[in-house]
């Protein structure tokens, strides 16, 4: 036999070979399918946002009532994803266990997760009431969720705000978070009271959470609360208590930076989600506001979000950026009831740890979108919270008539309690429902609580406030069509000249660069550069001896009009400032009436005096003392909106060069002042 092995194949061998080849081919196909499916699942696995406690499966929430080691009563709710502990019957959240973190809240504080109110009555100093309950109840418990209540009835004393309060918490199956809402009610026979602030606040574990997120372009590593300690020498006080300069922080990267919670405020319409990330544990803690119906002051009112602590909160009612003009006083004989919330406390985690700042924030935004889509929630037990079927809808199309009729694109349109035009800015007692029109002016406002409202609005690019001529009664399930709605903004004649853009802010004007030793690096080369500390002080440096002079046709408002009309610092005192607008008139209608349209974006303890062609004359017009919105000090570019249409006799003007003198006459300190939205001079009507 030849040393080379020879092979011969029978018919049977060939059949076996063919079967093996077929099996191998099938296995390859199956393997390919499995690999493909695994590749599809990889992003899910690596972006998983809800990890169970020690591997326990998600389940229907359980409720336990126990006594802790100190003998205090507690309520514990556990759904397998997280476990939350409440003091009972007070209803303070003392612990949240999640993703093997024993407590994401600050274990060194008694007040870790809570509701509170600041209030005062006649002959009683302002107080902070943490709204600790006196009665605990399980409202609902089933396979889908648990809803619990911590309530308190007013006992007629002076220790607590005269309100009945019911704090509710909902924990749902397979949900990584807590829904909370409050039912607040006062009887008409109760005493007069002022309530300036109602909020929900959480103090997080400072050993875990150091990275804060308010928006895509507003997020950063944060200093600690200890870094703000003035007594220990770690920080130096600045012009007001909220702002400090970090001189000896634990982390040198924060040295000489300013920390101030008002640098992180946000307009209500944009305030959907914010919170903190623990890069140590790859865990996020977020507050999600799915609706703004329960907030006060309309869609562009600014509110606090998250700040050093680490602290995160939702503010329902406040005087922030409006001041004492807010309707926070409840008179004797006035009944009131309002549901605040629900808001959603959301926790997530990133199992990969590759880039938790990105992945957790993106997931939080997705969750916020889901909560907005689910609003109004169908699982809330209280009959004071109408379901989607128990609410109404309004549709319409808004036009603006300013010399000619055009669709009002991107206009703000909203329902709020009946009142005068613009009264929604100061309303806190009722509900508000806002939307924006599309590019052709069409709008839909849905999920409206039954009630009586006015339709309000304003249109960017035009001055003034819109109010629909009739009140609107919304009933459960109603669908109301207003067809065509026309807003005629204030105008008495053609425009001679104008300064700025009518957008209710001072954003378009000159905002100076910050001081190097009091800056927040987040806002360097940022669209919100006005959020830097101390910018008001730059006015004195730019105009040490004389005030701003703006020449129509020569000056540029983005470079030559300072963003805020503030006082001038002279040594240890402050003095009023007078700005000038210089303009030419080739012809004057002596018998006609000109109009100066003066729109303010903010005012803080100010008095604006207007004079024509004589700086030393009696003021032709004065606003009187207006505003307490503190937008200058609190890094806002707007506060409450004011519009003044000033009739100017032609006899005050002259052919040739004219000067308007704008004097802000209050000067007790650095923060008396105002911000201009827009100024326009109109010639007499030709109608």
């Amino acid at each position: 036999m030849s040393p080379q092995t020879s092979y011969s194949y029978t018919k049977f061998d060939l059949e076996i070979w063919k079967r093996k080849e077929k099996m191998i081919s099938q296995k390859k196909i199956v393997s390919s399918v499995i690999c493909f499916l695994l590749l599809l699942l990889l992003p899910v696995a690596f972006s998983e946002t809800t990890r169970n406690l020690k591997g326990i499966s998600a389940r229907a929430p359980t409720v336990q009532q126990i006594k802790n080691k100190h003998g205090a009563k507690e309520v514990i709710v556990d759904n397998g994803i997280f476990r939350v502990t409440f003091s009972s019957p007070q209803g303070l959240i003392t612990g949240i266990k999640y993703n093997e973190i024993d407590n994401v809240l600050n274990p060194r504080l008694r007040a870790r997760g809570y509701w509170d109110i600041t209030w005062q009555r006649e002959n009683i100093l302002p107080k902070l009431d943490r709204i600790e309950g006196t009665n605990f109840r399980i409202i609902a418990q089933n396979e889908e969720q648990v809803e619990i209540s911590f309530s308190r009835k007013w006992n007629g004393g002076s220790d607590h705000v005269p309100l009945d309060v019911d704090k509710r918490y909902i924990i749902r199956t397979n949900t990584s978070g807590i829904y909370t809402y409050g039912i607040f009610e006062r009887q008409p026979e109760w005493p007069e009271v002022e309530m300036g602030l109602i909020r929900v606040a959480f103090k997080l574990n400072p050993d875990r959470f150091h990275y804060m997120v308010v928006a895509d372009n507003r997020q950063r590593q944060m200093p600690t609360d200890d870094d703000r300690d003035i007594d220990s020498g770690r920080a130096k006080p600045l012009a007001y208590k909220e702002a400090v300069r970090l001189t000896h922080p634990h982390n040198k990267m924060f040295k000489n930076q300013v920390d101030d919670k008002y640098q992180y405020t946000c307009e209500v319409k944009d305030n959907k989600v914010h919170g903190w990330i623990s890069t140590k544990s790859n865990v996020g803690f977020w507050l999600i506001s799915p609706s703004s119906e329960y907030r006060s002051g309309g869609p562009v009112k600014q509110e606090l979000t998250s700040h050093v602590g680490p602290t995160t909160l939702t503010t329902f009612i406040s005087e922030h950026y409006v001041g004492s003009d807010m309707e926070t006083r409840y008179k004797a004989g006035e009944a009131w009831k309002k549901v605040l919330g629900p808001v959603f406390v959301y926790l997530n985690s990133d199992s990969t740890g590759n880039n938790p700042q990105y992945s957790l924030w993106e997931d939080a935004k997705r969750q916020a979108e889901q909560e907005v889509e689910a609003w109004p929630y169908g699982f809330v037990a209280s009959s004071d919270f109408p379901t989607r079927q128990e609410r109404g809808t309004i549709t319409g199309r808004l036009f603006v008539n300013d010399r000619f009729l055009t669709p009002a694109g991107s206009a703000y349109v909203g329902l709020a309690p009946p009142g005068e035009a613009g009264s929604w800015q100061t309303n806190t007692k009722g509900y508000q429902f806002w939307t924006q029109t599309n590019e052709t002016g069409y709008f839909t406002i849905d999920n409206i609580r039954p009630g009586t409202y006015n339709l309000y609005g304003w249109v960017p690019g035009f001055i003034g406030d819109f109010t629909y001529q009739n009140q609107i009664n919304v009933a459960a399930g109603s669908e109301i069509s207003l067809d065509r709605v026309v807003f005629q903004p204030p105008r008495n004649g053609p425009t001679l000249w104008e300064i700025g853009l009518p957008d209710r802010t001072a954003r378009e004007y000159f905002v100076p660069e910050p001081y190097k030793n009091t800056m927040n690096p987040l806002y360097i080369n940022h669209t919100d550069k006005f959020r830097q500390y101390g910018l008001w002080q730059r006015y004195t440096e730019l105009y040490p001896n004389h005030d701003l002079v703006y020449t129509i046709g020569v000056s540029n408002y983005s470079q030559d009009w300072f963003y805020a009309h503030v006082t001038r610092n002279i040594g240890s005192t402050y003095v009023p400032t007078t700005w000038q607008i210089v303009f030419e008139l080739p012809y004057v209608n002596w018998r006609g009436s000109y109009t100066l349209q003066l729109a303010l974006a903010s005012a803080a303890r100010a008095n604006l005096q207007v004079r024509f062609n004589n700086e030393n004359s009696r003021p032709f017009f004065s606003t009187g003392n207006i505003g307490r919105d503190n937008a200058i000090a609190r890094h806002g570019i707007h506060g409450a909106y004011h519009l003044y249409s000033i009739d100017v006799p032609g006899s005050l003007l002259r052919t040739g060069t004219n000067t308007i003198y704008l004097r802000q006459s209050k000067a007790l300190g650095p923060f008396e002042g105002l911000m201009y939205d827009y100024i326009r001079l109109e010639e007499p009507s030709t109608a």
Side-chain angles (χ1 to χ4, degrees), residues 552-588:
I552 300 296
V554 177
S555 302
N556 183 328
Y557 60 74
S558 65
Q559 300 172 7
D560 303 315
W561 190 273
F562 199 72
Y563 81 102
H565 191 160
V566 292
T567 57
R568 180 187 289 106
N569 179 226
I570 305 295
S572 59
T573 63
Y574 294 85
V575 297
T577 53
T578 303
W579 292 10
Q580 299 178 42
I581 304 174
V582 180
F583 60 98
E584 299 290 327
L585 288 179
Y587 166 80
V588 174

Side-chain angles (χ1 to χ4, degrees), residues 289-393:
S289 299
S291 171
S292 58
E293 70 176 49
Y294 41 74
R295 294 189 188 268
S296 61
V300 296
K301 184 180 186 297
Q302 297 174 87
E303 289 292 3
L304 293 168
T305 56
S306 294
H307 57 266
V308 161
T311 300
T312 188
L313 46 85
T314 291
T315 302
F316 300 103
I317 293 174
S318 83
E319 297 180 352
H320 297 144
Y321 296 94
V322 177
S324 56
D325 290 336
M326 291 296 290
E327 296 174 355
T328 57
R329 182 172 295 277
Y330 297 79
K331 299 177 181 178
E334 182 179 5
W336 179 67
K337 189 175 189 179
K338 190 172 184 179
V339 177
L340 303 178
V343 296
F344 185 42
V345 181
Y346 177 57
L347 297 102
N348 59 2
S349 62
D350 180 356
S351 58
T352 69
N354 292 333
N355 188 359
Q357 292 97 326
Y358 175 79
S359 61
L360 295 176
W361 170 237
E362 289 299 311
D363 175 70
K365 290 192 295 181
R366 286 191 294 268
Q367 187 66 39
E369 291 174 357
Q370 294 176 22
E371 300 301 325
V372 170
E373 186 67 25
W375 184 270
Y377 299 131
F379 51 79
V380 176
S382 173
S383 60
D384 292 312
F385 184 80
T387 64
R388 191 183 299 265
Q389 293 73 26
E390 295 169 327
R391 297 173 178 240
T393 300

Side-chain angles (χ1 to χ4, degrees), residues 399-425:
F399 290 83
V400 60
N401 185 9
D402 187 26
R403 295 168 291 180
F404 48 88
L405 197 67
T406 57
S410 301
Y412 291 85
V413 182
L415 294 176
E420 298 178 352
S423 60
W424 51 267
Q425 285 190 110

Side-chain angles (χ1 to χ4, degrees), residues 13-28:
D13 290 328
L14 289 171
E15 185 65 25
I16 294 293
W17 180 82
K18 288 180 181 178
R19 288 181 182 179
K20 286 183 177 180
E21 284 291 298
K22 185 176 182 181
M23 290 177 63
I24 292 170
S25 177
Q26 288 175 338
K27 285 182 179 180
K28 286 182 178 179

Side-chain angles (χ1 to χ4, degrees), residues 32 69 77 139 144 158 238-240 243 297 301 319 334 343 365 421 428 437 441 462 486 536 550 602 685:
S32 298
K69 62 182 180 181
V77 183
I139 302 296
E144 295 181 353
S158 60
L238 293 173
Y240 46 89
K301 184 180 186 297
E319 297 180 352
E334 182 179 5
V343 296
K365 290 192 295 181
T428 65
T437 62
F462 300 89
V486 179
W536 60 87
Y550 187 92
S602 166
S685 173

